[in-house]
Amino acid sequence: MVASKVHIPIVKKRTKRFVRHQSDRYKCVAPNWRKPKGIDNRVRRRFKGQAAMPSIGYGSNKRTRHLMPSGHKAFLVHNVNDVDLLLMHNKTFAAEISHSVSSRKRIDIIAKAKQLGVKVTNAKARVTTEV
């Protein structure tokens, strides 16, 4: 397995999720973010002490966006031929086996990735046998 390219430290400006206004007060209001639209809404008007609204300023650095802590970007693999695409890009991308791939094909994909020196993020999934 090849180490990733050297990259600048990954800094997340915000790791907490943005919660919907008054989702803590009512069960029927889910915490998934929805922009407040009311004319008198305190959150929409950005009053001090209210919940923060998502904005472009919370975005990640363009050079570290979509990077995993290992420094690779995830590349979804469905079959053995998809692993060949990562041969020249094994420092940038790491293979991630799709959830719909059977355990028999997973073993072939992992063997091919090891041969080419490609990192597989979920190599242990559905491959280990029960004892």
Side-chain angles (χ1 to χ4, degrees):
M1 178 179 14
V2 178
S4 67
K5 284 195 278 189
V6 178
H7 60 89
I8 59 175
I10 300 168
V11 177
K12 305 281 187 195
K13 293 181 188 164
R14 183 184 168 104
T15 54
K16 289 197 314 188
R17 292 178 63 90
F18 291 97
V19 292
R20 186 176 178 180
H21 181 53
Q22 290 192 334
S23 63
D24 56 334
R25 184 177 270 201
Y26 302 107
K27 196 196 308 188
C28 59
V29 178
N32 308 337
W33 174 253
R34 296 288 185 274
K35 185 171 170 60
K37 301 286 197 332
I39 55 170
D40 294 328
N41 191 281
R42 300 179 301 184
V43 174
R44 183 189 61 79
R45 290 160 71 189
R46 297 198 176 103
F47 281 12
K48 190 174 12 174
Q50 303 306 310
M53 286 201 299
S55 65
I56 198 67
Y58 287 109
S60 299
N61 187 333
K62 193 186 283 187
R63 284 157 58 194
T64 61
R65 195 173 299 155
H66 306 300
L67 283 188
M68 296 186 283
S70 66
H72 292 94
K73 292 182 180 180
F75 181 83
L76 205 58
V77 169
H78 298 280
N79 54 47
V80 180
N81 296 338
D82 287 351
V83 181
D84 292 334
L85 299 172
L86 299 177
L87 176 61
M88 301 299 288
H89 307 285
N90 57 1
K91 283 181 174 258
T92 309
F93 292 96
E96 187 165 303
I97 303 172
S98 175
H99 83 282
S100 58
V101 177
S102 67
S103 57
R104 189 190 310 167
K105 291 288 183 189
R106 279 173 192 268
I107 294 167
D108 300 341
I109 290 171
I110 292 165
K112 182 74 169 180
K114 193 168 194 169
Q115 177 188 342
L116 298 177
V118 174
K119 178 184 170 76
V120 180
T121 57
N122 55 350
K124 290 195 169 91
R126 227 191 295 181
V127 174
T128 55
T129 56
E130 275 188 37
V131 179

